Amino acid sequence: MAAYFFASPIDVEVKLDGEDERKQVDMKAEKERVITSPVYYDGDSLAGQVTVRVRDGKKLAHDGIKVEFVGSIELFYDRGHHHEFLSLSQELAAPGEMRQAQTFDFLFKNVEKQFESYQGINVKLRYFIRVTISRRMADVTKEKDVWVHSYRMPPDSNNSIKMEVGIEDCLHIEFEYNKSKYHLKDVIVGKIYFLLVRIKIKHMELSIIRRETTGSPPNQYNESETITKFEIMDGAPVRGETIPIRLFLGGFDLTPTFREVNKKFSVRYYLNLVLIDEENRRYFKQQEITIFRIPEN
């Protein structure tokens, strides 16, 4: 509250070395705002400058200035509780007085960033630089977000997915996808065989579903969203027919698969095959796929 009544007489600016040359990612912020943040990788150093300006030529008495690099997980149903899994701190200035603008250099060298940034429905994993100017009345803080991408080695084994789905004496189909693990710009190639068709199928669709799980039982929340849905067949198939599937992942807003990130959340992807008959009954089969990030050329 104090900061609200005593407007801060200070401007704080954080600049990162070479941030304009880095890939940029747009993040949604509050009130429909969008923040553009530079992308960093595991092991990258973060170096930059903090500039503190005193307004109207006033003097500023402070109890010290520090800069931190923080990684935190925010669960939206647990607002106010931020789980910080990474916190590095550097002292920029000892307690004293300022009468004019000062610039301080900082360096967080070869920082391990074990998780990838993520902004979901119920959870946000973010990394940010935080500058704190300690004052007797109320601290002044300034945050600057960065976005972290993590590469994973392509999996050693990547088996195809083969499954049968059927209703006894009515329908028997087999489907096959070429792999079970895909990178973010990959292509899903598959085919569907109709071995027995005794019900009138109207059409068939394939969708990719993202399922976000947050918390742990009994306070566990699941949110599913359909990333894309497309029709792979219109009209009735006949026995012996084969339907090919080609789905390019590069056009969709996907993240890698995350499993039990810091025991706080998971994000999984599923291929959902749906058959709809003439009476609008739906038959579906869901299969989990793993998505991972590889270095971009």
Side-chain angles (χ1 to χ4, degrees):
M1 272 322 251
Y4 183 77
F5 286 110
F6 301 94
S8 152
I10 316 160
D11 286 320
V12 181
E13 186 184 18
V14 181
K15 282 190 101 58
L16 289 161
D17 294 350
E19 63 179 301
D20 296 338
E21 281 89 68
R22 286 183 175 268
K23 182 180 170 180
Q24 305 287 319
V25 166
D26 288 340
M27 296 165 55
K28 290 192 213 80
E30 282 145 22
K31 297 180 185 161
E32 303 299 310
R33 287 188 311 123
V34 172
I35 301 171
T36 301
S37 300
V39 173
Y40 283 78
Y41 299 96
D42 183 24
D44 280 356
S45 299
L46 285 98
Q49 295 80 38
V50 174
T51 302
V52 181
R53 293 185 184 86
V54 187
R55 283 191 213 145
D56 310 327
K58 295 175 182 165
K59 75 169 186 179
L60 164 72
H62 63 82
D63 297 331
I65 303 173
K66 69 174 177 179
V67 61
E68 297 164 281
F69 182 56
V70 179
S72 83
I73 296 174
E74 300 169 19
L75 297 163
F76 297 160
Y77 58 82
D78 193 12
R79 285 187 189 279
H81 273 98
H82 294 177
H83 305 274
E84 293 190 358
F85 58 85
L86 172 67
S87 181
L88 303 171
S89 181
Q90 285 177 13
E91 201 73 35
L92 294 180
E97 285 185 356
M98 279 178 66
R99 293 180 183 275
Q100 68 219 35
Q102 274 186 271
T103 298
F104 307 95
D105 290 329
F106 65 86
L107 169 63
F108 295 106
K109 199 165 176 55
N110 304 340
V111 184
E112 182 193 358
K113 307 169 202 68
Q114 65 187 112
F115 306 123
E116 176 156 331
S117 298
Y118 175 71
Q119 189 166 25
I121 297 170
N122 281 329
V123 62
K124 179 154 83 177
L125 189 149
R126 64 186 280 247
Y127 291 87
F128 56 96
I129 302 278
R130 179 168 61 207
V131 178
T132 306
I133 301 172
S134 301
R135 301 177 70 209
R136 207 182 59 207
M137 293 301 300
D139 291 353
V140 175
T141 60
K142 171 81 174 181
E143 293 180 357
K144 181 181 177 73
D145 280 87
V146 302
W147 195 265
V148 170
H149 280 169
S150 298
Y151 293 141
R152 293 285 171 264
M153 290 302 292
D156 293 336
S157 65
N158 198 346
N159 300 328
S160 62
I161 299 169
K162 275 189 178 171
M163 279 208 292
E164 293 187 13
V165 55
I167 303 155
E168 201 172 336
D169 296 333
C170 291
L171 176 72
H172 187 180
I173 62 172
E174 259 180 21
F175 58 90
E176 185 177 345
Y177 303 118
N178 59 333
K179 295 187 280 198
S180 52
K181 298 165 185 167
Y182 297 89
H183 64 77
L184 289 165
K185 300 279 187 279
D186 220 333
V187 185
I188 295 175
V189 178
K191 44 186 178 287
I192 295 164
Y193 307 103
F194 288 87
L195 303 172
L196 175 68
V197 187
R198 285 199 183 135
I199 49 176
K200 296 238 162 54
I201 292 172
K202 200 165 55 173
H203 67 260
M204 184 159 62
E205 59 195 34
L206 183 69
S207 55
I208 299 178
I209 293 168
R210 172 162 53 218
R211 185 169 300 148
E212 177 187 290
T213 306
T214 46
S216 49
N219 301 320
Q220 195 168 61
Y221 298 83
N222 285 304
E223 291 281 355
S224 291
E225 56 182 319
T226 301
I227 304 297
T228 184
K229 179 162 76 175
F230 73 106
E231 196 167 77
I232 49 178
M233 185 193 74
D234 190 10
V238 294
R239 184 180 168 188
E241 192 165 357
T242 301
I243 309 278
I245 295 171
R246 273 185 103 73
L247 178 56
F248 292 84
L249 298 179
F252 306 116
D253 184 19
L254 301 173
T255 68
T257 296
F258 301 128
R259 290 193 174 90
E260 294 298 324
V261 176
N262 210 33
K263 299 200 166 65
K264 295 283 184 287
F265 73 95
S266 298
V267 178
R268 293 186 160 90
Y269 288 90
Y270 297 86
L271 286 176
N272 195 32
L273 184 68
V274 182
L275 285 77
I276 297 146
D277 72 10
E278 288 189 333
E279 289 164 30
N280 280 335
R281 285 180 300 212
R282 300 167 76 82
Y283 311 90
F284 65 89
K285 191 78 174 175
Q286 215 168 65
Q287 172 66 35
E288 184 176 1
I289 57 171
T290 300
I291 297 183
F292 59 95
R293 183 184 300 282
I294 57 171
E296 291 164 21
N297 295 334

